[in-house]
Amino acid sequence: MSNTPMAASPLTRAVLEIDEYASGLGWDQPARLFALVDTAQLRAQEPALASQLGLEDAQESSGLTPIEQDEIPAGKPLDEFLGTIAWPDAVVGCALTVERLMLPPSAEASVPEGLSEARLAKWVSEHPARQEVRMTVAVLRDGTRDSALRLREKDSPTEVRTGRDLVPGLAEALSATFAD
């Protein structure tokens, strides 16, 4: 967590830690899913795992530890995949990092109507104002959420934007993985 602000909430710190990790892997990466566990509980209940993750000497008494999950199956739509997830009680939240093409709000008015999903994706990919973005979204069981956005053209830790409602649809989809 070298670039994460200590004054931030534990969820914001986890989001920024995941963003930093994803940034170190470079661009053009597949989506990655993370379980979020309470760090203090992890140290108490799973000391061997905590040691393996380098948490045995952590000074922080509260916080969240992201644990990367198995690879998301290629070729399966993300919303369908998320619909198959059930988390054990020890998981207090989850996070996802995914890359997408986005258009600025000014370009949204020029989107042709009636395009299929595939044709819309092609249209966006060819639009001159498109931007590549990495989104990291995290939610807790209690509904708390946070996210980080990093533009490929401004790929710097100081240019990462954070906020609760930057990617509301993805946050809702992640929250649904905790529904009974």
Side-chain angles (χ1 to χ4, degrees):
M1 289 195 313
S2 59
N3 291 326
T4 59
M6 292 312 294
S9 75
L11 187 58
T12 302
R13 288 195 305 271
V15 165
L16 291 172
E17 181 179 346
I18 293 167
D19 172 76
E20 184 178 349
Y21 167 75
S23 175
L25 298 172
W27 286 88
D28 304 317
Q29 296 292 315
R32 295 176 188 278
L33 181 67
F34 299 82
L36 299 176
V37 297
D38 180 274
T39 303
Q41 281 186 329
L42 178 66
R43 281 196 302 253
Q45 296 173 356
E46 299 286 343
L49 179 57
S51 177
Q52 183 181 352
L53 295 172
L55 300 172
E56 70 276 355
D57 296 327
Q59 306 240 333
E60 196 174 321
S61 61
S62 68
L64 298 168
T65 298
I67 301 174
E68 188 171 2
Q69 303 301 289
D70 291 336
E71 200 171 293
I72 295 173
K76 186 167 192 172
L78 191 56
D79 57 340
E80 285 180 27
F81 171 72
L82 291 176
T84 67
I85 295 174
W87 297 106
D89 291 340
V91 174
V92 298
C94 65
L96 181 77
T97 184
V98 63
E99 296 175 13
R100 292 291 186 257
L101 291 177
M102 293 181 69
L103 294 177
S106 60
E108 289 179 13
S110 65
V111 175
E113 290 187 34
L115 292 180
S116 68
E117 195 171 317
R119 293 194 62 180
L120 178 60
K122 182 174 175 19
W123 184 85
V124 169
S125 72
E126 295 172 348
H127 195 282
R130 74 187 177 281
Q131 295 183 356
E132 291 179 75
V133 62
R134 181 181 303 117
M135 303 175 282
T136 303
V137 179
V139 299
L140 299 180
R141 282 185 187 270
D142 68 6
T144 306
R145 59 176 66 170
D146 209 339
S147 53
L149 292 177
R150 182 187 291 250
L151 296 175
R152 189 171 191 158
E153 70 180 29
K154 295 182 178 183
D155 193 2
S156 162
T158 60
E159 295 290 335
V160 175
R161 300 290 173 240
T162 60
R164 173 179 160 75
D165 294 316
L166 295 177
V167 192
L170 188 50
E172 288 298 322
L174 290 173
S175 291
T177 66
F178 291 106
D180 291 333

